[in-house]
Amino acid sequence: MRFHLLGPLEVLDSTDSDTTPHAAKHRVILATLLVRAGEPVPTETLINELWGDAPPRTATTTIQVYVSQLRKLLRLADTDEARQAIVTRRPGYLFRLDPDRLDLTRFEALYRQGVDAAERQEHAEAAGLQSRALALWRGKFLADTPGGPLLSAEAARLSELRMASLEQRLRADLHLGRHHELLGELRAATTEHPLREELHAHLMVALYRSGRQAEALQAFSGLRRTLVSELAIEPGPALQRLHQRLLSGDPRLLHAAEHEARVPGTGPPPQPPAAFPAPDAPFTAREAEVDRLVTLLRDGATTALVTGAPGTGKSALARQAAHRLAEDFPDGHVSIDLRTVPATERGAAAVPLLRALGAPAPPPDQPAARRALLSRLTEGRRLLILLDNADRARDLDDVLPASPGTVTLITARSAPERFRPGATLRLDPPDQAAAEEILTVAGGPAAGQAAPETVQEIVALCGRSPLALSVAGARLAAHPHWTAQALADRLRAEETRLDELRHDGLDVRARLLDAYEECAAPEREAFRLLSVLPPGMFSRAAAAAVLDTTEDAAETRLDLLAGHGLLVAEGPDHRGYRIPLLLRLLAVELAGRDPAEVRHASVGRLCAAYADIAEWSGALVGTDASASARAASRAAGSRAVGPRPPQWFAEHQAALVGTVRAAADAGQWQPVLRLARALGDFLEAAAAWEDWATTQEAALRAAEATGDGAARARALRSLGDLAWQRRRFDLALDRFEEARTAARQAGDAAEAARALAGLVDLRLDQGSPGEAARLAAEAQLAADAAGDPRAGFEVLRCQALLALDAGRHVEAARFLDGCLKAARELADRRLEAWARRVGRVVPSGLAGGPGAYDGVEARPGVWRLRPA
């Protein structure tokens, strides 16, 4: 025996003979039991279906009679199953039935299978399954049977599901390129259902693909007139986007594979899971985060917030979690991308949400009224709402809290003001292995076969941003003639990297600009100015110098930028900040539109601020700082606090050197001279040859630009020291000679003495002790004239080396003792340690005569091999 509810009630026996009850009340009882087949239906429910609020006194007995009569009817069937279909089961009756014998259950099964096929992109299968599902309908649900509350609710549900099946089938047919065949059916469907936006979207696409662009635009205009006149609302964002694509003649719409997503209508909520945007395919490297988010929501959180910087994959993660949770929310799922809602629209999230939930009229103007309406629409229902890109605080004002049973999943760059979610998941950039997985999955065979170092380079160039890696991989996969190395070559140039990270509607620059443009003007200006900072972590003091403000005011500005996802707080207690790589490229690009003098002044302030710190720190360890800094250091005495200065130099080396370079490029000469001088001895001690060269060459440029002869002599002498340590003797000779000449011209006896000391080292290395002694005597005269402790130390050092070279050990020990005293006066622990080390070696060689040493430490950390 088979039962049909999708149309007039129909009961057919094994010979297809009609055995449908004729009495209306019998049909109501049978239909109610069939709608709830497999579940006990309370007697009270049956009474309510038959008589509503006015049942007769004998209602329970009458129900028993009707059920008995139905049993007699079913006993006419030729199977034991049919004869035993209706059984008494407290608190009422239960209809036992094979699901295949009821058209309602077959329709729902085919519909779900069709949805699954569509999600797998099996469009032909999806169209076939939905066609079979729709063929089961013979008219309106229970067209000849009166219904009470339960059957009326079921009729509304199934009517919506029937429309969803039709829309699914039409969408699948459009994917298959059947637009010509669909035009007549779509015309009729839009006439019958004038407010169903998705049907109109299908009609517009079909007309456009059939070469009838004007008619497609007319279809949109007709729908808009209907919505405005009847409901006083505009078409939804998805339909408006489709309209814009039609106006622009978007050629992608001509392809069968390209079709607009489901357009939210004004009717009841859509059926799961098709209401959510499809999860990103492939989705990789974030499975642990998805599991955690799903667990948080299943453990009782009614609101969950996913935060992270632009491009970290918040939306993709939320969509994946929402699809995982879809079956937990049988009453519906709603997804709204708040980026598509105009910032000027009141109730930014409430308006599209109420529309999606079926609000029949324009939403109220007052927030309290909107919240009340939302509460009524969600009351008693288990709904899952995804609010994507909720980066404006007022986006959530009218939509939270929702009714019990409703769970809201939200994504935003940071927690909106005044919002306290039940659970929060911060999404940071993936680790190296996960980032490489994102690239290789998106990039296909070309990425999978690439050399590991090439993959690592691309990941680094993309700053481990999931969005950038996905775009880069997609570009690689879309260009079969490219190799991963070719992609890396294209990404290497910073000035064009954001141009390369754009593909098929995904644009990294545009996504980052969204965050920037939502900032207030002062924060936008600060973001641009901060681009002058070297890459890496920076302090609020450095930011204050760049922004020309106090540290407290700078911290406020930095925290606002971090709230928009444009900065990341790092370091102990989050006291440091960093601009992520791709955002830094954007900041540099935007800053390039500002007046050059604004940027140059910011760099100069930063360089001067670093020089203040470096001179102070250098004074504490006796590096070549200014006399005023050394005096301040001696005055401070033991009151000086903070990290050990060498540690500060080491931690900030890249930033310091980068700032010198940038300030020189900006023509900020005086700060360059100060910072380069303060860094010289530290970089020498650290054997950081390349950075040493960068800073002193910048200082040389600055000295020549300002006509500062003494500074020029100092830079040339430092570059000579560097060349000597690198064993580039010809270059060292030129630099030292130039430095001696420049120092004499500037009247700087101290620098002349130090340049001569360098020439002494050079001549000793070349085996010319006589010439070295003559130069040392000249250096002694210059040092005596200068009265400079550091120049005096260098002359004593040279005299000690000359004595050691000649085997005059007692004399060498006397000179080394003088070095020790000079180092103490300078408060330079590094020079003092050198004098002690070499002084300990001298007594052991007193009996050895000339050449007794295998080697000698000529300067701190620099050894000279003695000739055989």
Side-chain angles (χ1 to χ4, degrees), residues 724-743:
W724 174 74
Q725 290 193 26
R726 299 176 85 169
R727 321 310 286 169
R728 297 175 180 174
F729 296 133
D730 290 342
L731 178 59
L733 178 61
D734 291 341
R735 292 300 197 191
F736 285 139
E737 291 286 8
E738 287 183 87
R740 177 172 63 174
T741 301

Side-chain angles (χ1 to χ4, degrees), residues 794-856:
E794 291 298 329
V795 171
L796 288 168
R797 181 185 62 81
C798 290
Q799 296 286 11
L801 294 177
L802 282 165
L804 285 172
D805 188 70
R808 300 191 303 268
H809 306 125
V810 174
E811 185 180 351
R814 179 167 53 83
F815 284 127
L816 288 169
D817 187 55
C819 286
L820 185 60
K821 292 176 181 177
R824 287 171 177 166
E825 181 182 356
L826 288 165
D828 191 322
R829 291 189 293 272
R830 178 167 167 264
L831 298 182
E832 185 178 347
W834 172 84
R836 290 184 182 281
R837 286 196 301 273
V838 179
R840 284 195 295 268
V841 174
V842 170
S844 66
L846 286 178
Y853 304 107
D854 294 329
V856 62

Side-chain angles (χ1 to χ4, degrees), residues 458 461-463 465 467-473 475 487 490-491 496-512 582 585:
I458 295 173
L461 292 171
C462 291
S465 162
L467 174 62
L469 291 167
S470 298
V471 172
R475 289 202 71 192
L487 175 62
R490 299 176 75 96
L491 292 173
T496 58
R497 191 178 305 165
L498 293 178
D499 293 325
E500 296 292 339
L501 293 173
R502 184 168 51 198
H503 178 73
D504 194 25
L506 287 176
D507 187 338
V508 172
R509 179 191 280 107
R511 190 68 58 83
L512 302 181
L582 299 181
L585 297 183

Side-chain angles (χ1 to χ4, degrees), residues 9 20 204 209 252 326 334 341 512 519 575 595 652 666 672 701 835:
L9 178 64
T20 307
M204 290 159 65
R209 291 183 184 170
R252 290 177 299 173
V334 179
V341 180
L512 302 181
C519 294
R575 302 295 288 177
H652 295 81
V672 167
R701 288 171 57 197

